[in-house]
Amino acid sequence: MKKLFILLFSFLTITAQAASSEGGEFKPGDMITHHIADDYSWHFADGAVLYLPVILIDNGKPVVFSSSNFYNENHELVPYNGYKMEHGHIYKVNAAGEPIEGYKGLYDISITKNVASMFVSVALLFFVFFSIAGSYKKNAGRAPRGMQSFFEPIIIFIRDEIAKANIGPKYERYMPYLLTIFFFIWFNNLLGLMPGGANLTGNIAVTLVLATMTLLITVFSGNKSYWGHIFATPGVPKWLAPIMIPVELIGIFTKPFSLMVRLFANITAGHIIILSLFSLIFIFQSIAVGPLSVAFATFMNFLELFVALLQAYIFTLLSAMYFGGAVEEHDHVDDMGHGDGHH
């Protein structure tokens, strides 16, 4: 650990001195934005850049080329074949290289850094769980070994402490989704902490899709009792229905909205804090600030390892709670306080 600390500090100090000697002003905001934002190339380190394919639909015609065409030999952005990349977006340009105002025929379905990172995480998930499935078949009736021994307690925990505890007897139909969402979020959170990793779960579009999936499953799982509590809340006078019904309907959407924002904000904030601490070295260029900055950033990085697991757990737990509320059977109580006996 001591050698790693010294190596990291030396690398950052040398990089800061190199940036200073080149006369370029260090802009922490630009550096942080570059690292947490999506891009058409995947930058791992200086000299190690993966240029991703640009896929456009221009007036119904597919156009495919490498994003490296947008850079010249000095790594400056240049137009290519009537297109220009600017501020993370691709525009149709005229002969002068200016974006064509009001152009509506261009659709971008490129494989960006976040998309490529998602492919990597999905491939990793397939590898891990197909390997575990194979181990179950091979070691049937015997103690788990290898990856199976590591992941089995986690899977059992999700089944017993999250699914069963919050959904009840109908938990089995939701287990594939809960396991998928937990490991997808956890793996991508961890991959995002690796050097050169993409900030996938810190992308609001990704968390929006995940939250929308939880919303759709909740809504389509809702039974008569679930919808009855929304449109005829027990114990609430009928004259309050015009107020309570909109409140309950809004609550259906605020729950997944909180899932979306919580995951996005926590993961993005962690990346920003770590990068901000490293930026202090470049800003002050002081031997006194360097060790402190690296020490705090290293501590935050270890803390983010815990946050990566915690956010996956919270998203999965709350999803299970929403599913449990949708499928739960309630006793219908009459005016005398007697239940109808249906469960």
Side-chain angles (χ1 to χ4, degrees):
M1 179 61 69
K2 183 179 179 182
K3 291 182 179 179
L4 177 63
F5 181 91
I6 295 173
L7 181 62
L8 181 60
F9 171 63
S10 301
F11 168 76
L12 291 170
T13 304
I14 292 170
T15 306
Q17 292 173 348
S20 176
S21 64
E22 290 175 2
E25 181 185 358
F26 176 69
K27 298 179 180 179
D30 292 347
M31 184 272 289
I32 293 171
T33 302
H34 172 74
H35 278 79
I36 66 173
D38 202 4
D39 201 357
Y40 291 92
S41 61
W42 199 339
H43 189 277
F44 299 98
D46 287 344
V49 181
L50 175 63
Y51 292 101
L52 299 167
V54 174
I55 307 172
L56 305 173
I57 305 297
D58 191 356
N59 283 326
K61 180 183 177 181
V63 180
V64 182
F65 56 89
S66 172
S67 60
S68 62
N69 290 294
F70 284 125
Y71 298 92
N72 60 19
E73 60 274 7
N74 297 319
H75 203 70
E76 298 171 336
L77 286 172
V78 293
Y80 172 75
N81 201 26
Y83 305 101
K84 182 179 182 180
M85 184 170 66
E86 193 174 80
H87 303 300
H89 297 280
I90 295 177
Y91 302 93
K92 184 78 171 180
V93 296
N94 53 28
E98 297 297 327
I100 300 175
E101 296 292 337
Y103 190 80
K104 302 294 184 181
L106 187 65
Y107 298 94
D108 188 356
I109 55 172
S110 302
I111 298 177
T112 60
K113 179 172 68 173
N114 282 342
V115 176
S117 176
M118 183 169 61
F119 288 160
V120 171
S121 67
V122 169
L124 184 59
L125 283 167
F126 275 125
F127 169 75
V128 168
F129 288 102
F130 275 121
S131 298
I132 294 174
S135 297
Y136 270 110
K137 294 178 181 179
K138 184 178 179 180
N139 301 321
R142 289 184 288 178
R145 300 172 59 186
M147 283 193 296
Q148 181 188 356
S149 63
F150 176 79
F151 285 100
E152 185 175 295
I154 302 174
I155 295 170
I156 292 174
F157 176 83
I158 295 172
R159 184 194 66 186
D160 295 343
E161 303 300 328
I162 296 180
K164 279 186 179 179
N166 293 283
I167 301 174
K170 300 179 180 179
Y171 75 94
E172 288 187 353
R173 70 177 69 170
Y174 301 100
M175 277 297 294
Y177 175 76
L178 293 176
L179 288 172
T180 301
I181 208 73
F182 175 84
F183 286 107
F184 178 82
I185 294 173
W186 186 28
F187 277 34
N188 279 291
N189 287 350
L190 294 177
L191 289 172
L193 293 174
M194 295 178 65
N199 184 34
L200 182 67
T201 44
N203 186 302
I204 193 70
V206 174
T207 60
L208 170 63
V209 172
L210 298 178
T212 301
M213 291 169 64
T214 294
L215 170 64
L216 293 175
I217 294 173
T218 303
V219 169
F220 287 107
S221 297
N223 55 22
K224 183 179 179 181
S225 178
Y226 173 76
W227 293 109
H229 275 66
I230 291 175
F231 292 100
T233 308
V236 176
K238 292 184 178 180
W239 62 270
L240 280 177
I243 298 175
M244 292 304 300
I245 291 176
V247 170
E248 293 289 340
L249 290 174
I250 292 173
I252 294 175
F253 296 96
T254 55
K255 291 175 181 178
F257 179 80
S258 68
L259 286 179
M260 173 187 73
V261 174
R262 182 185 295 107
L263 179 59
F264 160 74
N266 278 281
I267 300 304
T268 301
H271 285 248
I272 291 174
I273 291 172
I274 293 173
L275 292 169
S276 298
L277 289 169
F278 281 135
S279 296
L280 295 177
I281 301 173
F282 295 83
I283 294 171
F284 291 101
Q285 299 186 28
S286 168
I287 193 67
V289 174
L292 288 175
S293 177
V294 173
F296 278 110
T298 303
F299 169 75
M300 282 300 304
N301 202 62
F302 279 107
L303 182 62
E304 283 300 304
L305 293 175
F306 170 71
V307 172
L309 177 61
L310 179 64
Q311 290 304 315
Y313 167 74
I314 291 175
F315 197 104
T316 308
L317 174 66
L318 292 177
S319 295
M321 291 176 64
Y322 301 155
F323 301 159
V327 301
E328 183 182 5
E329 297 287 351
H330 298 273
D331 284 337
H332 297 283
V333 181
D334 57 26
D335 293 336
M336 299 299 293
H338 300 102
D340 60 8
H342 296 293
H343 297 276

